[in-house]
Amino acid sequence: MDLLRSIFKGDKVIWIIFLFLCLISIIEVFSAASTLTYKSGDHWGPITQHSILLMVGAVIVVLVHNIPYKWFQVFPIPLLAISCLLLAIVMATGFFTGDRVNGAARWMSFMGIQFQPSEIAKMAVIIATASILARGQNEDGANPKAFKRIMLITCLVCGLILPENYSTGMLLFGTVYLMMFIGRVPAKKLIILGGGILAFIVLFVTFLLATPNDTLEKIPMGHRFTTVKSRIADFSGKEEIPAAKFDIDGDGQVAHARIAVATSNLIGKGPGNSVQRDFLSQAFSDFIYAIIIEELGLLGGFFVVFLYICLLIRVGRIAKKCDRTFPAFLIIGIGLLLVTQALFNMMVAVGLAPVTGQPLPLISKGGTSTFINCAYIGMILSVSRYTAKLEEQRLHDAQIPMLIDTGDTGNQASTTISDAQTAADPTAEMLNRDAEFK
């Protein structure tokens, strides 16, 4: 028991949520990876690979949550430079060589290992935003310079992500926008920014719907325009098609995902009994929530939503206990990013949003996203360790006046106060080491 406590430090609720998500991931990816099994001919191959990735991810959580949170402020400096360089290389490779997967250049290989630079970029932007907001706080809110610096970094990174991955760029920008709102950036600036972004989206969508596909394909860096146009048109289309004329194969994954949801019930068909997994090419990734509902029913689907909501609530409680702004902004940004991405994935699966290609955090099969999401959980746990020490220090501080009020006088009172302060000193020194960055 002592060994487990020494390894799994930090907030216990966060650990429980993480372990539940990993357990659901193993069960559902094993069931949903039927297409991969068919292609590889190895029944255990896909789930063995995924289980190894989750175990490595768990090691990442343990390692990261032992790092004092002050060191996270160093991460954006190298991560921003590396991620921007890699994003530029991926974009240039896709543009000049046409080497794309599903019409988009989002992956690159290093020593035979594929990864997405956008995942690294998201982490860098979230940490950088938290650091800038923390340093720019004053009595009236965030310093105006903080807004300019955050926009400079965010626009640069999102500008490199957007041509190949619109949903990821919009998700990251939206998370940063919410962080600035929580970080007390002047409302006037946020209203102007929000209005400008909304106007741009309306104009962009109108342009896509009004422009012929042949013209869109000729626009430089517009290779994703026709895909985005078709997804928006499919989602917003109001024309009802008779069942006899409905082309389920032409509709692709969306139709099979909706069938999976519609054919479920309160308790589902049971793990491993999905039918639509064989027709969904991304059943183990983008549409895994539809498979969860089909197999685990509405109860299983609500339970997954409940886990993400609990994660966000718990992050808010941990942030509330922080006496410094950087760790609070950091974990709030992480929580918003994870939960917003999860909501996008689930809304797509049940037909409430157009297809975005966002995986379900900590559940969908993936390498880069799994490792980065595990690092996020480790950061949250690191901050929770700090707040636990902070609570311990406050408890020690509260005991000192209680000892003074006992009525002791003279040397006895001095000795009692000295003993109480001595007991509090180790915790105070530990807090200072964890919090101060030089």
Side-chain angles (χ1 to χ4, degrees):
M1 185 62 69
D2 292 337
L3 177 62
L4 292 176
R5 288 178 180 176
S6 64
I7 296 176
F8 300 102
K9 294 176 284 189
D11 190 83
K12 300 299 185 294
V13 175
I14 298 296
W15 273 113
I16 292 172
I17 293 172
F18 171 70
L19 294 176
F20 265 119
L21 290 174
C22 289
L23 178 61
I24 294 172
S25 177
I26 292 173
I27 295 173
E28 293 305 316
V29 168
F30 183 46
S31 175
S34 59
T35 54
L36 295 179
T37 301
Y38 176 77
K39 292 178 182 179
S40 65
D42 185 358
H43 182 71
W44 293 99
I47 189 58
T48 300
Q49 180 189 30
H50 183 62
S51 298
I52 292 173
L53 291 176
L54 285 178
M55 286 188 287
V56 175
V59 173
I60 292 174
V61 174
V62 173
L63 294 177
V64 173
H65 97 299
N66 279 291
I67 301 175
Y69 77 82
K70 64 179 180 181
W71 294 105
F72 298 148
Q73 297 178 76
V74 182
F75 288 9
I77 300 173
L79 287 181
L80 281 172
I82 293 173
S83 60
C84 287
L85 176 62
L86 295 180
L87 286 171
I89 292 174
V90 169
M91 184 189 302
T93 302
F95 181 74
F96 290 108
T97 67
D99 185 14
R100 297 186 174 97
V101 178
N102 295 329
R106 302 174 184 174
W107 293 265
M108 68 182 308
S109 298
F110 178 74
M111 299 179 64
I113 301 174
Q114 277 194 332
F115 65 95
Q116 293 190 55
S118 60
E119 294 293 333
I120 304 174
K122 287 195 296 184
M123 174 182 283
V125 171
I126 293 299
I127 302 176
T129 301
S131 180
I132 294 172
L133 286 174
R135 295 174 185 272
Q137 292 296 308
N138 52 46
E139 294 181 357
D140 299 326
N143 192 301
K145 293 182 179 179
F147 176 78
K148 296 179 181 178
R149 292 169 182 169
I150 292 172
M151 283 293 95
L152 177 63
I153 294 173
T154 305
C155 290
L156 173 63
V157 174
C158 288
L160 293 171
I161 293 176
L162 278 172
E164 303 294 342
N165 197 337
Y166 290 99
S167 60
T168 297
M170 293 175 63
L171 175 67
L172 178 59
F173 195 95
T175 303
V176 172
Y177 188 89
L178 292 175
M179 290 180 68
M180 289 192 294
F181 176 77
I182 296 172
R184 302 194 305 163
V185 169
K188 182 179 179 180
K189 293 181 179 295
L190 294 179
I191 292 173
I192 294 174
L193 176 63
I197 295 297
L198 183 61
F200 174 79
I201 292 175
V202 171
L203 291 174
F204 179 68
V205 172
T206 304
F207 166 75
L208 290 180
L209 297 178
T211 307
N213 290 343
D214 294 340
T215 304
L216 291 176
E217 292 175 354
K218 296 177 182 179
I219 298 176
M221 301 304 294
H223 54 279
R224 297 286 296 169
F225 284 175
T226 55
T227 302
V228 175
K229 176 182 177 179
S230 64
R231 290 177 176 178
I232 294 174
D234 291 341
F235 176 74
S236 60
K238 300 298 182 181
E239 181 180 356
E240 294 186 4
I241 301 175
K245 296 183 179 181
F246 185 79
D247 183 10
I248 189 171
D249 294 327
D251 192 72
Q253 298 194 96
V254 175
H256 288 292
R258 293 182 180 180
I259 291 173
V261 174
T263 55
S264 67
N265 49 46
L266 192 62
I267 59 175
K269 299 176 181 178
N273 294 323
S274 171
V275 175
Q276 300 306 314
R277 63 186 177 185
D278 297 328
F279 304 98
L280 285 164
S281 61
Q282 296 297 319
F284 50 84
S285 180
D286 300 349
F287 288 92
I288 195 169
Y289 188 66
I291 305 302
I292 291 174
I293 295 179
E294 184 182 13
E295 295 190 347
L296 304 182
L298 296 177
L299 290 178
F302 282 129
F303 181 68
V304 172
V305 175
F306 174 74
L307 289 176
Y308 286 112
I309 292 176
C310 286
L311 176 64
L312 185 60
I313 293 174
R314 198 65 183 179
V315 163
R317 290 184 177 180
I318 296 172
K320 191 176 181 180
K321 295 178 182 178
C322 294
D323 64 339
R324 296 171 184 266
T325 52
F326 171 70
F329 290 146
L330 174 64
I331 63 173
I332 287 175
I334 291 172
L336 289 171
L337 181 66
L338 292 175
V339 175
T340 304
Q341 181 175 328
L343 288 176
F344 265 110
N345 178 280
M346 293 184 284
M347 289 173 67
V348 169
V350 299
L352 294 178
V355 178
T356 59
Q358 291 296 322
L360 193 58
L362 297 171
I363 292 183
S364 293
K365 187 178 185 299
T368 314
S369 60
T370 297
F371 295 156
I372 296 297
N373 290 334
C374 287
Y376 288 147
I377 297 297
M379 291 179 182
I380 295 173
L381 290 169
S382 175
V383 175
S384 74
R385 289 181 58 218
Y386 171 73
T387 57
K389 295 173 185 176
L390 194 63
E391 288 291 317
E392 184 181 348
Q393 174 65 21
R394 288 170 179 168
L395 182 61
H396 281 300
D397 293 343
Q399 290 176 348
I400 295 176
M402 291 174 60
L403 293 171
I404 297 174
D405 291 339
T406 56
D408 293 331
T409 58
N411 293 333
Q412 185 178 358
S414 299
T415 303
T416 304
I417 295 172
S418 177
D419 290 343
Q421 290 175 337
T422 302
D425 284 343
T427 305
E429 292 176 2
M430 189 180 301
L431 284 169
N432 289 332
R433 286 199 303 272
D434 284 348
E436 294 179 0
F437 179 77
K438 297 181 181 180

